[in-house]
Amino acid sequence: MEATLDFGLGENADMIRETTARFAADRIAPLAAKVDADDWFPRDELWTAMGELGLHGITVPEDDGGLGLGYLEHVIACEEVSRASASIGLSYGAHSNLCVNQIARWANPEQKAKYLPKLISGEHVGSLAMSEAGAGSDVVSMKLQARRTDSGYVLNGTKFWITNAAYADTLVVYAKTGEGSRGITTFLIERGMPGFSIGQKIDKMGMRGSPTAELVFDDCEVPFENVMGPENGGVGVLMSGLDYERTVLSGIQLGIMQACLDVVVPFVRERKQFGKPIGSFQLMQAKVADMYVALNSARAYVYAVARSCDAGKTTRFDAAGAILLASENAVKVAGEAIQALGGAGYTKDWPVERYFRDAKLLDIGAGTNEIRRMLIGRELIGAHERVAQ
């Protein structure tokens, strides 16, 4: 049994953790090194199997074919998948939260009936396309144009940094249908639509095996029935999903930190120097203690925000704060894991160098830490000013 704090998350959360952890250890962990080394996305090996466990539809209501559980359970599933492979955790989060959860929240009944069954089963892979080469943190400056016609819209332009793009069957795509923040609309794009193609694939430092690519739209005709949510209301759709995205993806960093401890604790028990296990030295004990505290302090914040999401009480700055803490702690913990293993940690023979490369992504993805700090500070100072008035 692992020595860790019981957060008292409830029976459903414990069930999801146990089921996902067992699957991840048996099916994902044996593939993790190959996923990274070969930049390989094991769709056939994992996706439908994860669907059979219900992992793709955790937050989807039961009436729509999901488990009808909450963001807390979704965080835990993401954590346990990422403990085995953060790359698979990232693709899983992009599929199950960024795509499936947004469709469950915003699509009309016909759209849900068309897209959700195969996404939830894992027969199809989902993706979300928001960022562009020139529109990251300033996402409202996107250039992908959607021109209205008699039968729908014609899309022209590109999206960039899109997770799961090369394998996606269904994509939630944001495009400009007017001016400013009130001129963005959300579209459901299908693989094979005329005028839609995959552009360059992006070779990344970490999260290898979670495929990232460019989307290209060249007179891509999209019927009105593929508009999701209100026309010109895409910013509302987009921003409403960011809090849940940041919360669920925080689970990736929790998984990476736990994976680091999974390697470091046995190593320091067995590795001997000066005739003793290095874990008997106080400096090494302090290092392990700091890693553990970094993990559980991030867990406490992330789990609390996830529970607030489920209660409909989350705040945008706390969702940003949770992933800020989890991302920075994970980078530190992964760095300490390398240090604890010494020269071995700097080699490809041990997975901690992969954990370090993987951890860095969420200092940047789902909003950079600089943007998160700006958001938190702005919201707190603004709230203070409103109270003062």
Side-chain angles (χ1 to χ4, degrees):
M1 180 176 292
E2 295 174 5
T4 190
L5 178 64
D6 181 359
F7 285 90
L9 303 180
E11 185 177 335
N12 286 334
D14 292 343
M15 176 193 67
I16 288 289
R17 188 185 297 279
E18 181 182 349
T19 301
T20 310
R22 187 184 310 116
F23 176 85
D26 292 345
R27 300 286 297 274
I28 300 176
L31 306 178
K34 177 179 171 59
V35 165
D36 177 71
D38 296 347
D39 198 11
W40 168 56
F41 178 54
R43 173 180 183 166
D44 294 341
E45 290 75 6
L46 296 176
W47 229 242
T48 55
M50 292 170 75
E52 289 169 4
L53 291 179
L55 296 180
H56 296 317
I58 287 178
T59 56
V60 178
E62 291 182 86
D63 289 347
D64 293 320
L67 294 184
L69 298 176
Y71 295 103
L72 176 62
E73 288 81 13
H74 204 173
V75 165
I76 289 167
C78 198
E79 177 181 350
E80 293 300 333
V81 169
S82 301
R83 181 179 180 179
S85 168
S87 297
I88 301 303
L90 178 62
S91 282
Y92 166 64
H95 170 91
S96 61
N97 178 262
L98 278 67
C99 180
V100 173
N101 190 60
Q102 282 292 75
I103 292 174
R105 294 177 63 239
W106 284 98
N108 61 40
E110 292 75 22
Q111 292 168 338
K112 290 180 184 180
K114 181 177 182 180
Y115 295 109
L116 284 180
K118 290 185 177 181
L119 289 168
I120 291 171
S121 71
E123 183 179 344
H124 281 181
V125 173
S127 179
L128 178 141
M130 179 175 66
S131 298
E132 298 178 4
S137 297
D138 180 18
V139 69
V140 175
S141 68
M142 67 178 66
K143 303 296 184 186
L144 176 62
Q145 291 289 328
R147 176 174 54 83
R148 189 182 177 103
T149 66
D150 291 339
S151 58
Y153 284 89
V154 176
L155 274 59
N156 279 287
T158 61
K159 291 290 181 182
F160 211 65
W161 310 114
I162 308 306
T163 302
N164 293 349
Y167 292 83
D169 301 281
T170 304
L171 304 96
V172 175
V173 176
Y174 298 95
K176 295 287 284 188
T177 47
E179 298 298 322
S181 61
R182 296 184 179 180
I184 293 174
T185 298
T186 313
F187 297 91
L188 291 168
I189 303 297
E190 302 169 27
R191 170 187 293 276
M193 277 185 165
F196 169 57
S197 62
I198 304 300
Q200 64 176 299
K201 296 180 181 178
I202 300 166
D203 191 12
K204 306 188 300 296
M205 161 184 153
M207 295 295 191
R208 296 171 54 78
S210 177
T212 308
E214 176 187 33
L215 307 181
V216 178
F217 298 88
D218 184 9
D219 286 337
C220 176
E221 297 183 9
V222 182
F224 285 122
E225 65 193 42
N226 280 54
V227 172
M228 187 174 79
E231 293 182 83
N232 294 317
V235 166
V237 177
L238 185 159
M239 297 306 292
S240 74
L242 271 179
D243 295 342
Y244 304 124
E245 173 185 343
R246 286 168 171 157
T247 302
V248 170
L249 294 186
S250 296
I252 296 173
Q253 304 299 75
L254 303 181
I256 290 173
M257 286 188 272
Q258 183 62 64
C260 288
L261 283 167
D262 292 342
V263 172
V264 168
V265 172
F267 182 88
V268 300
R269 285 173 177 160
E270 296 166 9
R271 167 73 168 165
K272 290 185 178 180
Q273 291 288 278
F274 307 104
K276 298 179 181 179
I278 63 173
S280 68
F281 300 126
Q282 289 178 345
L283 276 173
M284 194 57 68
Q285 292 168 4
K287 191 179 296 294
V288 171
D290 287 345
M291 294 169 68
Y292 176 78
V293 170
L295 167 58
N296 269 359
S297 58
R299 271 180 172 151
Y301 197 4
V302 172
Y303 293 165
V305 170
R307 281 174 150 163
S308 292
C309 288
D310 291 332
K313 296 180 179 179
T314 191
T315 63
R316 180 147 296 160
F317 53 88
D318 277 310
I323 196 170
L324 170 64
L325 181 66
S327 66
E328 293 194 342
N329 280 9
V331 172
K332 292 175 185 175
V333 166
E336 290 285 43
I338 293 173
Q339 192 71 19
L341 269 63
Y346 202 69
T347 70
K348 295 278 188 179
D349 294 333
W350 290 82
V352 289
E353 61 83 28
R354 163 163 53 93
Y355 300 159
F356 187 80
R357 289 184 286 108
D358 290 346
K360 187 60 187 173
L361 173 72
L362 284 177
D363 275 355
I364 301 165
T368 65
N369 280 343
E370 288 77 11
I371 290 295
R372 293 164 190 160
R373 284 188 164 90
M374 181 184 76
L375 169 62
I376 295 164
R378 183 181 64 200
E379 291 291 324
L380 291 176
I381 292 168
H384 179 76
E385 289 175 348
R386 289 190 292 273
V387 170
Q389 292 172 355

